[in-house]
Amino acid sequence: MVQIYNSLTGQKEYFTPVEPGKARMYVCGMTVYDYCHVGHARVMVVFDVVARYLRWRGYDVTYVRNITDIDDKIIKRAADNAEPASQLTERYIDAMHEDATALGVLPPDVEPRATESMAEIVTMVRTLLDNGYAYQGANGDVYYDVSRFAPYGALSRESLDDQRVGARVEVDENKHDPLDFVLWKAAKPGEPSWESPWGPGRPGWHIECSAMSTRCLGNHFDIHGGGIDLKFPHHENEIAQSEAATGHKFVNVWMHNGFVQIDEEKMSKSLGNFFTVREVLGQYSPEVVRYFILASHYRSPLNYSTENLEQAGAALDRFYTALRDAPAAAADGDETFCQRFQAAMDDDFNTPEALSVLFDAVRELNRAKTSGDAQRAAGLVASLRTLGGTLGILQGDPEQFLKGTAQTQSGISEVDIEGLIAERDEARRNKDWAESDRIRDELQAHGITLEDGTGGTRWRKG
RNA sequence: GGCUGGGUGGCAGAGUGGCUAUGCAGCGGCCUGCAAAGCCGUGGACGUCGGUUCGAUUCCGGCCCCAGCCUCCA
């Protein structure tokens, strides 16, 4: 059985869906006013693996990942650019989809946008007002009254009083309590707005997720995920809004992935120490980035460094070297490795452990290849490709992966490489080892490594 | 100050009350013209102080240190 660490209870729990056989999952996606950075990539990859794995385990998964396409930052950025907000968001939504596709992230089943969910948002705000969980301030904004929701603080495990002690929120005379938060924000002149019973305005950040998730998945669903920085206040507020509005339990399992860090510090837009996905993909293949993310457990911090990216590349080289020259995958994989892999993944999606199982399979595959046991090798290839598939890796052509984008990076074309190899073959036939080694060194200087095998000489990057 | 997670061998990173994690790097061997790749073998670890236990890196407690949240942030 799959076990998942539930942030709400602070422990691993066996996954028991609301509806047997189904898994309904909502993940907080991006606010689209800029390019995705590696932190966003981590969320996308991590929950992509959760969805893939649950499907592989036989669940009928509905995966919803929203897009926040209206908020203060978007408005500000659009104003700075002197362009309509919608034009700005369209551009970054396209960019996000490109990044996701490059990283092998499968599209979610539903990708709702805040601006397309206004009816549900307004309805939910109205319900909260009608039920006495919200009030309208003198400035026209509608606020959630935190004191009315008794379980407030359950997710962050802090009482209201404790939170007020450390509160850094600005004093706002429109609010009854500093911890109250905006549900509906009245529009200032020139700002994008939507009609509502409280005048033209836009939704607060938290309400849109409550509205979109319950609209797409029902009042009560299985998994809600996002970065750990969303735990408070965003997710805490979602619970307060949703449960107060629907009267139902909102979410069973809360999943939060850890940060990407740089030099032991959180990568974030506010700190400015971030790398965008497209920057990184300019230097490393998407599969390397994906492997780098999965080589750490999703709840741990992930330290971004060139060294760690290089290590991810080296690990994939080993996989693809084993896969190269291997027989075609058999119909069935190896039972033992499959079980070990499943046990690792069942334990709160322990991808590092799962990868170690795959490495053990690699050793077996290399042995089988050496001993000429084609049947065994074919079974192991099947295991690697199927199990790798649930992680979204090892689906490529080995030769292509190992040669990489050597031509563009090393400044030497594939034709030239082949030419030099032919020259070196000639030298080797003449036992001119000096010339042979000279050519090999020359290629190595271009980042090309040669391997002399029984079937001739082959090359790879690295 | 409150709350969350952590501190594992040269690096990355899992895990376990007594038995090899895994990958990269190192060392020895096989293979090779020499290499590379691969295989075989091998060294090296669990922040600190106490406690529980026949035995703790693993459980409990104190302490130290790190990261994060408490304000927009994946």
Side-chain angles (χ1 to χ4, degrees), chain A residues 7 36 41 56 91 129 155 161 177 198 203 205 214 216 263 298 305 318 322 358 360 381 391 414 424 432:
Chain A
S7 301
C36 295
W56 185 71
R91 193 165 64 246
L129 276 164
L155 183 62
D161 287 340
D177 186 307
W198 320 285
W205 175 38
T214 52
C216 298
D263 298 329
Y298 75 89
S305 69
R318 180 163 162 81
L358 260 31
D360 286 344
V381 170
L391 301 177
E414 207 156 317
R424 178 167 169 276
D432 183 355

Side-chain angles (χ1 to χ4, degrees), chain A residues 129-372:
Chain A
L129 276 164
D130 290 348
N131 295 353
Y133 286 98
Y135 59 91
Q136 190 164 18
N139 59 357
D141 290 0
V142 180
Y143 296 100
Y144 189 95
D145 187 344
V146 152
S147 66
R148 293 295 314 282
F149 188 70
Y152 194 81
L155 183 62
S156 40
R157 263 162 265 165
E158 275 197 294
S159 70
L160 281 171
D161 287 340
D162 286 341
Q163 286 176 25
R164 289 197 189 98
V165 169
R168 288 184 275 171
V169 285
E170 291 170 35
V171 179
D172 184 338
E173 68 271 17
N174 293 293
K175 294 183 184 179
H176 295 352
D177 186 307
L179 295 174
D180 290 350
F181 54 91
V182 183
L183 294 172
W184 188 260
K185 200 163 187 165
K188 296 193 183 75
E191 287 182 345
S193 64
W194 287 260
E195 284 308 318
S196 83
W198 320 285
R202 62 179 182 277
W205 175 38
H206 315 296
I207 192 73
E208 57 172 77
C209 277
S210 285
M212 286 187 274
S213 59
T214 52
R215 181 191 91 201
C216 298
L217 296 172
N219 291 338
H220 180 201
F221 56 94
D222 300 298
I223 299 171
H224 191 128
I228 185 89
D229 49 353
L230 297 185
K231 193 171 168 185
F232 189 88
H234 186 56
H235 290 334
E236 190 77 60
N237 292 352
E238 275 191 61
I239 294 173
Q241 293 164 336
S242 304
E243 299 196 350
T246 69
H248 288 94
K249 163 99 175 171
F250 181 40
V251 169
N252 282 352
V253 184
W254 287 87
M255 289 181 70
H256 297 282
N257 66 272
F259 289 125
V260 176
Q261 305 185 331
I262 292 184
D263 298 329
E264 311 299 319
E265 199 174 42
K266 174 184 174 183
M267 177 186 288
S268 77
K269 296 211 171 160
S270 17
L271 289 172
N273 59 347
F274 61 91
F275 288 86
T276 64
V277 170
R278 41 199 60 206
E279 277 178 292
V280 177
L281 289 181
Q283 288 179 288
Y284 299 95
S285 88
E287 193 168 355
V288 168
V289 177
R290 198 171 165 105
Y291 184 96
F292 158 71
I293 289 168
L294 297 177
S296 296
H297 186 87
Y298 75 89
R299 283 190 281 122
S300 303
L302 177 63
N303 215 40
Y304 181 89
S305 69
T306 53
E307 193 184 350
N308 289 349
L309 267 304
E310 298 291 342
Q311 285 208 7
L316 281 172
D317 280 349
R318 180 163 162 81
F319 277 116
Y320 277 116
T321 303
L323 252 15
R324 183 177 62 177
D325 293 336
D332 295 309
D334 181 281
E335 194 59 26
T336 312
F337 287 115
C338 183
Q339 280 171 6
R340 287 177 54 203
F341 180 89
Q342 184 174 312
M345 289 297 286
D346 275 1
D347 184 10
D348 195 28
F349 310 99
N350 193 335
T351 52
E353 176 93 24
L355 287 168
S356 82
V357 173
L358 260 31
F359 276 114
D360 286 344
V362 162
R363 174 164 291 113
E364 276 300 302
L365 172 57
N366 284 330
R367 282 191 191 131
K369 280 164 67 181
T370 315
S371 68

Side-chain angles (χ1 to χ4, degrees), chain A residues 96 99 173 214 227 231 241 262 312 326 376 380 393 406 440 449:
Chain A
M96 174 192 68
D99 292 341
E173 68 271 17
T214 52
K231 193 171 168 185
Q241 293 164 336
I262 292 184
R376 173 105 178 109
L380 290 160
I393 59 171
R440 185 168 60 194
T449 300

